[in-house]
Amino acid sequence: MNYPTPKPLQRLADEVDGWLELRCPERALPLITPLLEEPDPRACGLSLQVRAQARLGAFDDALASLDELSKLHPEDAWVDLTEAWCRRRVGDLEGAIRCIQQLLARDPKHDVAYFNLACYLALAGDRDRAVDALSVACGINPDNRVLALDEPDFDGLRTDDRFRVLVRPAGPETPQS
């Protein structure tokens, strides 16, 4: 997610980003206004605003900002992933799943999307589809196996044999005789 910012506003965008990196969204949010007032830096301002709002737990506000950002950048995976993440936090698992499916329709090899889909399906109680989505995520990027080990969204899958096989660490090959 790197939206163009006119040179005169780049320093301001960097300052806002710095406050967000320092986990001080309350310091970042009031600085964003100039980025939202002009068309050229608006997408940058909206993305920074979403990050600040989400950090503050203002997920409904973040969703409103994401709605506008998605109109400016409808193909941006970050927008879909972040919208799904916010929807999950407001209890809209169905909406979160829909966002991820929208992303996967455009990019069927997006391992993070499959991983997040697995999380949301697991939370929704759809164990079979959750394990299937996680299997695809791990097939695309084997590092997802390690991430799945500690992911609390998968707590409901820990007794599932397919899940256990999927996240089992690879051991040394057994020699054949």
Side-chain angles (χ1 to χ4, degrees), residues 27-146:
R27 301 280 307 261
L29 207 50
L31 301 174
I32 296 171
T33 302
L35 296 166
L36 298 171
E37 292 174 336
E38 299 294 326
D40 290 343
R42 190 155 180 82
C44 175
L46 286 167
S47 68
L48 292 167
Q49 183 171 270
V50 166
R51 289 174 54 204
Q53 291 165 330
R55 172 69 68 184
L56 289 167
F59 301 115
D60 287 324
D61 293 337
L63 286 167
S65 298
L66 282 162
D67 182 54
E68 184 177 347
L69 185 57
S70 72
K71 291 173 182 144
L72 297 172
H73 293 275
E75 303 291 314
D76 190 335
W78 182 83
V79 172
D80 292 317
L81 290 168
T82 305
E83 180 181 348
W85 188 84
C86 289
R87 288 193 179 287
R88 181 237 190 264
R89 272 131 192 95
V90 297
D92 181 10
L93 284 175
E94 189 175 303
I97 291 166
R98 190 173 50 253
C99 290
I100 297 298
Q101 289 171 332
Q102 175 180 300
L103 170 55
L104 289 171
R106 288 192 321 270
D107 185 357
K109 294 184 180 181
H110 200 293
D111 70 289
V112 174
Y114 276 107
F115 188 91
N116 288 0
L117 179 61
C119 289
Y120 304 144
L121 290 169
L123 291 169
D126 194 340
R127 295 170 57 117
D128 288 335
R129 286 181 56 213
V131 173
D132 289 345
L134 182 60
S135 180
V136 174
C138 293
I140 297 170
N141 182 353
D143 292 343
N144 285 316
R145 294 178 197 284
V146 175

